[in-house]
Amino acid sequence: MKQALSFYFSLSGTVSQRQFWLCFVLPWFVIQSLMGIAVQHDSIQLMDGIWTPPEVVFSVLGFFIQLFVTWATVALSIKRLRELGYPARTLLAMIPGLGTLWVWFELLFSSPDNGHPL
């Protein structure tokens, strides 16, 4: 359990391309898909202004899930970029739109074996 928590929350270490895809991208896609399905469910009407107890619970849990996913995204992106050899490039993610897309492209498709894609 401690090892799993340090994998997602620690900023030290590196993450291989395989770990990044299997332990982050795939679970992230599943979590976001489930959250989207839950929001689209007929019994959850978050925009009507009258929240029932299940809607409040869903909102609170959704907030903490999104907070976890956001922190995991930052931590694993930093680890992945460190393994690729350029940790300072995480600052490029601060450029709206283009910087984020460029960093994600490098995270997903480059590896230290075949060099940098650009």
Side-chain angles (χ1 to χ4, degrees):
M1 176 78 170
K2 184 178 180 181
Q3 185 180 10
L5 289 176
S6 77
F7 179 77
Y8 287 107
F9 289 111
S10 172
L11 295 176
S12 62
T14 61
V15 174
S16 69
Q17 188 173 16
R18 179 181 168 92
Q19 287 176 315
F20 190 76
W21 277 94
L22 293 178
C23 298
F24 175 66
V25 174
L26 185 62
W28 178 84
F29 180 74
V30 170
I31 289 170
Q32 295 298 338
S33 297
L34 292 174
M35 293 292 291
I37 290 169
V39 168
Q40 297 297 324
H41 194 272
D42 289 336
S43 66
I44 296 178
Q45 301 291 328
L46 297 176
M47 302 305 285
D48 65 357
I50 304 169
W51 286 21
T52 61
E55 292 171 345
V56 172
V57 170
F58 174 77
S59 297
V60 171
L61 287 176
F63 171 76
F64 286 111
I65 289 170
Q66 292 300 328
L67 190 63
F68 169 77
V69 169
T70 301
W71 180 254
T73 300
V74 170
L76 291 173
S77 297
I78 289 171
K79 290 179 184 184
R80 180 78 182 121
L81 287 169
R82 184 178 297 132
E83 187 207 342
L84 293 173
Y86 35 92
R89 293 194 184 183
T90 55
L91 296 176
L92 290 175
M94 293 173 41
I95 300 171
L98 183 62
T100 304
L101 291 174
W102 185 75
V103 169
W104 271 102
F105 176 78
E106 288 194 4
L107 287 172
L108 295 173
F109 299 111
S110 64
S111 66
D113 299 330
N114 64 5
H116 303 296
L118 299 177

